[in-house]
Amino acid sequence: MLREARLPGWRRQVTSADAGAADAEALDAAFADAVRRTGAAIGGLYLLTPDEEQLFLDVLYGAPAEFAAPWVRVPVVSPAPVADAVREDRMVWVATQEEMARRYPRTALALPYPLALAAAPVSGVRRWGALLLMWPATRPPYMTERERGHVMSSCGRLARLIEEAVAHGRFPAPRDVPRTLPAETGRQAAGPPPAAADFIERLPGGSCALDLEGHFTYLSAGACVLLGRDAGELLGTLPWQSLRWLDDPTYEDRYRAAVISREPVVFTACRPPDRWLDFHLYPDASGISVRIVPSGTQPPPAPTHPHSTDTAAPARAGRLYQLIHLAAGLTEVVGVQDVINLVADQIMTAFGAQGLVLSTADAGRLRITGYRGYDASPMARLDGLPLDTTFTPAGQVLSSGIPAFFSHHEEMRRIYPEASLISGKEAWAFLPLIVSGRPVGCCILSYDRPHEFTAEERAVLTSLAGLVGQALDRARLYDTKHDLAHSLQQALLPPALPAVPGLRTAARYLPATRGMDIGGDFYDLIRLGDTAVAAVIGDVQGHDAAAAALMGQVRTAVHAHSALGAPDRVLSATNRLLTDLGADLFTSCLYAHLDFAAGSLTLASAGHPPPIVRLPDGGTRTLDMPPGPLLGIDADAVFPMTEVPLAPGLMLACYTDGLVESPGVDLGESIAALTRQLAQADGLDLDALIDTLVGATDSHRQRTDDIALLVLHFLGHP
């Protein structure tokens, strides 16, 4: 179970700096060794955050940290390879770019390059995270058992090192920018020896070298001539920063493609005014060798742009991928909190903001829905402002639909003096969230220091505001439906199980994670005088409003007919009622009658999964009982009964099929596994026991069906 077995020391402070450094060095060395042993070009180690809701990229090998910006934080429930590896505790293998686009479209948007990828869970006493490995597309499109063994053994070693660190109170804190490890190539990090330099200089054209982050590390004289700059002006700089005519996301993307795919890349660029050059990029684990030669055929003339200092720079390729990733993510978010988390993790990172406030329009007021980078006190002051407020720029941007940008504290203070003091920030972007001409809310990005908003940033943020507004509007509608469904479900299920002397009880209902968060599973405990009680559990097909409505009818019918006594009579009467109603949905039901005075447990089933009994001596088995047909099909159906002795210490576990049905898993094996779990579980605390039984179905797993579970522990008739 993903949430259990949290080791002590997760939040403990480091007790020894030297020991902590040694732990980090050991983990880094093991991680780098894992990447090299598998032959991967790029590797990443993801760790779970303390709340176990997200994975954060702790360390990266073989690529600059900037490349990982769109996937530094990955929610555990998201459709991504590392999330699937952790959530499902298995290795994920993606052989080709086409397979990536089919299985993980969001990941393919952030990594639009030919590659193969594997993600494996880092597990020990619990799941700690995932190991991500990427290879060039030239590798075979399959993984051998030997390779899988190497990957999983590396993950086991990483888990042991993490557990040693945790045992001493040391665990890496979640970070927004991963650490990077240099690739070991066996070559000295120095310029070429004289003979090699002479050889390079005699070649036609020019040669240069870039490190993995894109900085010039070497330029030949021929390269300097072709680029029109001296080596001293270029060494240590990024080409798209020091050579303004290369300041185009297309060229930066070609560099990214070479680093990630490890395959040669060629592109042609025009050095103003009209000299066309071919750039041949040859990557390896240490960087990129570049050959520059005059273009053999001159491309058609294209309008040139005056790259002066006051011209808006084109969007960086990295930012474009971040924004594409964000746009794809916004189409998948469900609730309002999901929107807040995604905007905070992606937009704040992409635009370097330190603060975020997301507010929604509600009954003529701006209600703060979420925020980052602020204390609670200023948010309380700003919460509930009228939509036409003049206290902050939010009112103006909502009424006009035009964003407002304040690059300096003084700009804000002149118009909104009190707001600038409350905020405590130095620069702001107020983005109206408008959907079909209707104000949905306002998104505010803020900065701790003055920030000049370029034309590019203003345009992109304005476009993003539309996407965020659409996502927020959908999320609010979903949350409203979710709350309604939750209220309906709670009204249909018993608010609490009745207290019965000599009987301990506990129950749990978990809705499906897809749909309306409502379903047809139900349970009940019915007192039948002082010496008897009835336990019932059922499952109406589907998990929507129709299933919930029929569930309410079935539960009421069973409760009304429980006075008939024998389980077969109760089910027969309920079955006739449902047949008369002509319900279109199938219903299964298990009815158990506990007679304390007679010391007997009598059961009957209408197509329901068999219950599990744990005897007083600890022996646990699935109860072998003949089921009758589902309710509502045949008015004359017969429901055979099964009787077992009711001895003090006996435990009965009744459940619906959502607990044991999983795609690709045999139902009998799942029920047998549940039986073993009940046999090994501690029965002193029934709620904790239920936590154990439903552990594999926690919030990190996508449930296609709802679940009901009812556990009874007979202590003896008082």
Side-chain angles (χ1 to χ4, degrees):
M1 185 173 73
L2 199 60
R3 291 185 179 277
E4 69 181 7
R6 180 169 292 175
L7 293 182
W10 176 281
R11 298 180 183 274
R12 243 186 286 160
Q13 297 297 316
V14 175
T15 57
S16 167
D18 292 340
D23 286 337
E25 289 178 4
L27 185 62
D28 286 352
F31 163 66
D33 182 63
V35 179
R36 288 193 295 268
R37 285 180 62 196
T38 58
I42 297 173
L45 178 60
Y46 281 87
L47 298 177
L48 279 165
T49 53
D51 61 8
E52 302 181 12
E53 297 293 335
Q54 287 189 322
L55 290 158
F56 69 92
L57 183 57
D58 180 61
V59 60
L60 183 66
Y61 178 100
E66 181 192 357
F67 283 18
W71 26 283
V72 166
R73 295 267 184 154
V74 179
V76 174
V77 297
S78 68
V82 291
D84 281 358
V86 171
R87 193 172 58 247
E88 301 172 12
D89 196 25
R90 66 178 179 88
M91 181 186 293
V92 174
W93 166 249
V94 183
T96 64
Q97 187 180 13
E98 291 75 16
E99 184 180 355
M100 180 77 77
R102 184 177 67 254
R103 293 173 56 188
Y104 300 103
R106 280 182 58 185
T107 305
L109 285 173
L111 291 170
Y113 309 112
L115 54 83
L117 178 148
V122 176
S123 303
V125 297
R126 50 156 289 162
R127 274 169 271 186
W128 296 105
L131 176 65
L132 176 68
L133 301 167
M134 289 186 280
W135 293 265
T138 52
R139 68 151 288 148
Y142 58 85
M143 180 171 280
T144 66
E145 287 302 318
R146 183 182 181 88
E147 288 177 310
R148 288 179 177 269
H150 281 319
V151 172
M152 296 312 298
S153 64
S154 296
C155 289
R157 182 184 177 196
L158 292 171
R160 289 191 295 273
L161 290 171
I162 292 171
E163 286 159 9
E164 289 176 8
V166 170
H168 293 91
R170 293 179 289 272
F171 188 84
R175 59 181 76 247
D176 294 325
V177 179
R179 296 178 296 111
T180 56
L181 298 183
E184 295 182 9
T185 63
R187 300 194 298 267
Q188 294 182 351
D198 291 342
F199 170 80
I200 294 171
E201 294 296 345
R202 286 191 290 268
L203 293 175
S207 301
C208 60
L210 308 175
D211 61 21
L212 287 179
E213 294 184 354
H215 299 97
F216 282 112
T217 58
Y218 169 77
L219 293 106
S220 69
C224 294
V225 171
L226 291 173
L227 297 176
R229 299 284 291 277
D230 293 335
E233 299 176 276
L234 297 178
L235 286 174
T237 68
L238 297 171
W240 43 89
Q241 292 179 353
S242 53
L243 300 169
R244 297 299 302 273
W245 48 278
L246 288 177
D247 187 15
D248 187 291
T250 302
Y251 306 143
E252 185 185 349
D253 178 68
R254 295 298 78 207
Y255 162 74
R256 285 171 170 264
V259 171
I260 293 177
S261 70
R262 293 294 200 264
E263 291 187 335
V265 171
V266 180
F267 67 88
T268 301
C270 178
R271 172 188 160 190
D274 55 5
R275 188 167 192 185
W276 292 88
L277 301 173
D278 288 340
F279 292 78
H280 299 255
L281 280 59
Y282 302 94
D284 73 358
S286 64
I288 297 180
S289 296
V290 183
R291 283 288 295 155
I292 309 172
V293 294
S295 181
T297 58
Q298 181 169 315
T304 59
H305 301 279
H307 296 286
S308 61
T309 55
D310 57 353
T311 301
R316 292 264 55 82
R319 176 170 291 175
L320 290 176
Y321 287 129
Q322 283 181 293
L323 300 181
I324 292 172
H325 192 64
L326 172 65
L330 286 172
T331 66
E332 298 176 354
V333 292
V334 177
V336 171
Q337 190 59 48
D338 298 329
V339 176
I340 296 169
N341 293 338
L342 189 64
V343 171
D345 293 339
Q346 295 289 334
I347 291 186
M348 286 181 65
T349 301
F351 291 91
Q354 289 78 47
L356 166 75
V357 179
L358 192 63
S359 45
T360 56
D362 183 17
R365 299 277 176 176
L366 269 176
R367 301 292 180 184
I368 293 180
T369 309
Y371 59 91
R372 297 278 181 90
Y374 286 94
D375 294 331
S377 54
M379 294 299 99
R381 176 80 181 275
L382 298 172
D383 190 23
L385 294 173
L387 292 184
D388 58 354
T389 179
T390 58
F391 186 80
T392 76
Q396 179 186 354
V397 300
L398 280 176
S399 62
S400 66
I402 301 174
F405 299 93
F406 300 86
S407 299
H408 303 277
H409 178 270
E410 285 300 316
E411 294 180 19
M412 172 77 84
R413 188 187 64 80
R414 283 196 298 268
I415 309 175
Y416 305 97
E418 292 185 76
S420 64
L421 294 175
I422 291 176
S423 172
K425 302 295 184 181
E426 295 292 332
W428 300 263
F430 286 79
L431 309 173
L433 307 180
I434 309 293
V435 176
S436 301
R438 173 174 52 88
V440 172
C442 186
C443 178
I444 305 170
L445 291 179
S446 57
Y447 297 79
D448 292 339
R449 297 175 181 174
H451 180 86
E452 294 294 336
F453 293 94
T454 65
E456 170 222 339
E457 284 183 313
R458 294 171 185 245
V460 174
L461 284 171
T462 302
S463 300
L464 278 178
L467 294 175
V468 174
Q470 294 280 355
L472 186 61
D473 198 38
R474 292 194 309 270
R476 291 177 66 192
L477 178 60
Y478 172 85
D479 283 350
T480 301
K481 294 171 63 177
H482 177 276
D483 292 341
L484 176 62
H486 181 73
S487 299
L488 175 61
Q489 188 77 53
Q490 294 304 310
L492 293 174
L493 292 173
L497 297 177
V500 178
L503 186 68
R504 294 197 305 142
T505 62
R508 187 73 52 84
Y509 174 80
L510 293 175
T513 53
R514 296 179 182 175
M516 284 185 63
D517 203 11
I518 190 173
D521 289 14
F522 68 96
Y523 58 84
D524 208 347
L525 189 67
I526 308 167
R527 294 197 63 164
L528 304 172
D530 296 331
T531 62
V533 67
V536 59
I537 191 166
D539 182 1
V540 178
Q541 176 191 12
H543 42 89
D544 54 17
L550 183 58
M551 177 266 280
Q553 293 176 307
V554 175
R555 179 171 169 252
T556 301
V558 171
H559 206 288
H561 294 132
S562 61
L564 297 174
D568 61 338
R569 298 180 63 189
V570 175
L571 290 183
S572 294
T574 304
N575 177 56
R576 285 192 295 271
L577 175 63
L578 292 184
T579 304
D580 292 341
L581 290 174
D584 295 328
L585 301 176
F586 300 121
T587 302
S588 71
C589 186
L590 175 72
Y591 188 93
H593 183 274
L594 292 78
D595 190 330
F596 302 153
S600 66
L601 169 62
T602 310
L603 306 98
S605 171
H608 201 80
I612 302 171
V613 293
R614 190 163 86 176
L615 302 175
D617 62 3
T620 307
R621 62 186 174 89
T622 304
L623 196 60
D624 185 13
M625 55 182 298
L630 296 169
L631 299 177
I633 298 177
D634 180 6
D636 299 321
V638 176
F639 302 94
M641 293 194 298
T642 301
E643 185 173 340
V644 296
L646 182 61
L650 181 139
M651 185 178 292
L652 179 71
C654 309
Y655 54 92
T656 56
D657 56 8
L659 184 64
V660 291
E661 284 189 346
S662 298
V665 180
D666 180 75
L667 181 60
E669 293 180 1
S670 294
I671 295 176
L674 184 65
T675 303
R676 290 191 296 271
Q677 280 186 307
L678 181 61
Q680 299 166 2
D682 185 354
L684 295 178
D685 185 340
L686 292 189
D687 286 320
L689 183 145
I690 285 184
D691 286 339
T692 300
L693 297 182
V694 302
T697 63
D698 66 12
S699 61
H700 298 295
R701 171 182 152 188
Q702 294 290 321
R703 292 186 300 274
T704 58
D705 198 4
D706 48 343
I707 295 169
L709 177 61
L710 175 64
V711 177
L712 311 176
H713 186 204
F714 180 58
L715 303 178
H717 186 51

